[in-house]
Amino acid sequence: MKKFLLLFLVLFLCTPAVAANWTDNIEMGGDVRFRWYKLNNIWDFNDDTNFDNWETFRLRTRLHVKAKISDDISGFVQLANQTYGNGISDAGDNTSNKIFVDNAYITVDNFFGSNFKFQAGRMNLIYGSGFVLFDGNSQFASTSIYFDGVKIAIPLGDNAVLDTLYFLDEENSRANNPDDDITLGGLYLTAKCPAMGGKQEIYALNRRDETLSKDIWMVGLRLSDKFENGLDYSGEVAYQMGDWNERQNIDQEALGYKLDAGFTLKDATMTPRLFCGYMSLEGDDRSSTDTNERWDVFYGGWPQFGDLLAWKYVNVGPANAITDYDPNYNEGSTTGGEAVYSNISMASVGISAQLTSKLSAKFTYGLLTVDEPIAGVDDDFGDYYQLQAKYGYSKNLSFAIYTAMIDPGKAFVNDDQAYEFLVETNLKF
């Protein structure tokens, strides 16, 4: 009995040391984000209908843990829950009280003795400004943005990394009868060439949608930099080619680009930043029947053009007023609820400022035009106004508002304004 008590005492005294060593290798955290939305005419520009007029709460909760197993091996797991209020059953991944694995991946540095980094599992892929690669599961306001797959990062000297990617966007049916997977693969190079300055990104990516018999490649280039004098810029251009529909022998040939520039007045009060930009996503030229020129969104993210325009481009079939000028706007998408940006251009200008040490604001105006409207329809999409503000209450707690309006142009049958008003509180821990 004395030996047992002695052993118990030794183990008890050692427990704090063991626990302290274990917790040194564990990082835990999470966030709670609560939003109130007021959405009006997000799909139809018609005040006489109410299916796209929403007033709702939206809650997102996330908890994550990162475990460092050794110097080279670690794991990351994040559980999440997002709802549009209790009892909502028709919101896809936003169904009430659904807890899901948002991220879960393994990281191995110096993989098999090399300087490669190996990652496998469910993870987010965020590159550049999200123009072509950001949002793996956009469905109705980015419930999640993950992909499932494998990434190997290969350092090329001290100033460049080449990422090799193979990921699954949608598995759909596990069986291969029918073939219905949507996959992403390819290479993404990120470099900082001392001679050029700034950052250079070059990519060659493949997207396959087996249901549509779509197998397209995209090659692109992005350059960006920020200078001491306050000037910053980014420019990205990409070209898509391959099979738009292999069964019907229709090729893909589409061009898209996004240009942004800004200037921050560092010596001025509130350090305002003036900015401008232009983006163009090609539409289909209907005179050519064996070639599709429509830009494929790939995995371009919701936030890059503002939240309201993302809602406007959601794939809800014929209920979307985009069919007024482009009846086939969603022909490249088999995922309901995805924001299928294409056939549009936008010139934008705006200003942002740090109003106080805790309060910042940003205003943007965009002039929207249609690249290829159907015969007899004007190319005037409309005017797009956005205002957002954020207040840092503390290091971990913030409050924010976002308000936006689209005043529709002559491309649409109805001319009632669409708007969004969003209030947010976000706690990170």
Side-chain angles (χ1 to χ4, degrees):
M1 186 66 178
K2 290 182 179 179
K3 291 182 179 179
F4 176 78
L5 291 175
L6 182 61
L7 177 62
F8 177 80
L9 181 61
V10 170
L11 292 173
F12 177 78
L13 292 174
C14 289
T15 297
V18 174
N21 184 61
W22 181 78
T23 54
D24 286 344
N25 297 319
I26 295 291
E27 298 177 13
M28 301 182 67
D31 61 85
V32 177
R33 190 183 72 185
F34 191 61
R35 287 178 170 180
W36 175 76
Y37 283 92
K38 176 66 176 178
L39 302 169
N40 189 70
N41 292 333
I42 54 175
W43 294 319
D44 69 356
F45 291 124
N46 186 356
D47 285 341
D48 294 331
T49 61
N50 291 314
F51 78 99
D52 60 348
N53 296 345
W54 297 3
E55 187 172 341
T56 183
F57 285 122
R58 181 182 180 198
L59 174 67
R60 185 188 73 183
T61 309
R62 298 188 299 187
L63 294 172
H64 69 256
V65 58
K66 180 180 179 181
K68 189 172 180 62
I69 309 304
S70 69
D71 289 341
D72 295 333
I73 302 173
S74 63
F76 181 85
V77 176
Q78 180 164 271
L79 302 180
N81 169 258
Q82 264 196 133
T83 74
Y84 279 95
N86 190 46
I88 296 296
S89 60
D90 63 348
D93 284 343
N94 292 296
T95 298
S96 296
N97 302 319
K98 173 187 174 182
I99 297 174
F100 62 95
V101 178
D102 185 44
N103 269 215
Y105 58 87
I106 300 163
T107 300
V108 183
D109 293 317
N110 299 313
F111 191 49
F112 280 104
S114 69
N115 60 349
F116 297 178
K117 176 186 286 188
F118 170 84
Q119 291 183 297
R122 174 169 292 182
M123 67 193 79
N124 300 340
L125 299 176
I126 302 174
Y127 290 88
S129 65
F131 182 56
V132 298
L133 193 51
F134 178 96
D135 204 338
N137 288 266
S138 66
Q139 307 142 8
F140 294 111
S142 297
T143 296
S144 52
I145 62 173
Y146 62 75
F147 297 82
D148 293 337
V150 178
K151 177 171 77 169
I152 299 177
I154 305 172
L156 303 177
D158 296 330
N159 298 309
V161 176
L162 179 66
D163 288 346
T164 63
L165 312 168
Y166 183 75
F167 287 86
L168 194 66
D169 173 28
E170 297 288 338
E171 175 66 41
N172 293 313
S173 172
R174 286 187 296 271
N176 291 333
N177 183 24
D179 291 331
D180 58 5
D181 293 348
I182 306 176
T183 60
L184 163 72
L187 303 172
Y188 200 106
L189 175 68
T190 303
K192 293 185 177 181
C193 177
M196 295 181 62
K199 181 187 291 185
Q200 304 82 43
E201 298 167 71
I202 303 171
Y203 50 84
L205 302 172
N206 174 255
R207 186 184 190 190
R208 296 177 64 237
D209 188 326
E210 295 175 341
T211 298
L212 298 176
S213 191
K214 178 169 68 176
D215 187 356
I216 61 178
W217 280 90
M218 175 171 59
V219 292
L221 169 68
R222 182 175 189 267
L223 303 175
S224 60
D225 203 355
K226 188 173 184 178
F227 301 95
E228 287 292 331
N229 63 5
L231 178 66
D232 63 86
Y233 75 88
S234 66
E236 185 166 0
V237 58
Y239 182 74
Q240 298 175 349
M241 56 201 157
D243 295 315
W244 171 257
N245 191 313
E246 188 176 13
R247 285 190 294 265
Q248 299 179 14
N249 199 28
I250 301 176
D251 295 331
Q252 172 80 353
E253 295 180 7
L255 178 68
Y257 56 91
K258 181 183 178 185
L259 310 172
D260 294 288
F263 186 77
T264 302
L265 302 172
K266 293 185 176 182
D267 296 329
T269 304
M270 300 184 294
T271 58
R273 177 178 178 264
L274 307 173
F275 59 88
C276 62
Y278 189 80
M279 71 89 169
S280 176
L281 308 176
E282 197 171 5
D284 184 33
D285 181 358
R286 293 165 183 81
S287 64
S288 59
T289 58
D290 60 349
T291 303
N292 176 72
E293 294 86 10
R294 177 185 302 282
W295 175 257
D296 186 282
V297 68
F298 254 68
Y299 302 100
W302 273 69
Q304 60 176 322
F305 306 127
D307 205 52
L308 182 57
L309 192 62
W311 281 110
K312 183 57 66 180
Y313 265 89
V314 164
N315 178 7
V316 289
N320 197 318
I322 290 175
T323 55
D324 290 348
Y325 67 81
D326 188 356
N328 301 319
Y329 80 99
N330 63 342
E331 63 182 340
S333 172
T334 56
T335 304
E338 148 177 80
V340 285
Y341 295 120
S342 72
N343 197 13
I344 189 172
S345 298
M346 179 172 71
S348 58
V349 295
I351 183 172
S352 62
Q354 190 69 41
L355 303 179
T356 69
S357 61
K358 294 187 175 183
L359 178 63
S360 60
K362 179 181 179 181
F363 172 77
T364 308
Y365 166 75
L367 177 62
L368 299 167
T369 55
V370 180
D371 181 53
E372 292 281 353
I374 58 176
V377 176
D378 198 278
D379 67 353
D380 178 18
F381 188 112
D383 300 299
Y384 184 24
Y385 306 88
Q386 298 180 86
L387 175 64
Q388 54 197 100
K390 183 176 181 180
Y391 180 78
Y393 185 85
S394 70
K395 178 181 178 181
N396 300 95
L397 177 64
S398 64
F399 298 92
I401 62 169
Y402 170 84
T403 182
M405 182 186 73
I406 296 178
D407 189 9
K410 297 178 181 178
F412 297 98
V413 173
N414 296 301
D415 59 0
D416 295 321
Q417 296 169 346
Y419 65 82
E420 173 180 3
F421 184 68
L422 177 158
V423 180
E424 172 188 292
T425 179
N426 192 15
L427 174 67
K428 298 180 181 181
F429 53 89

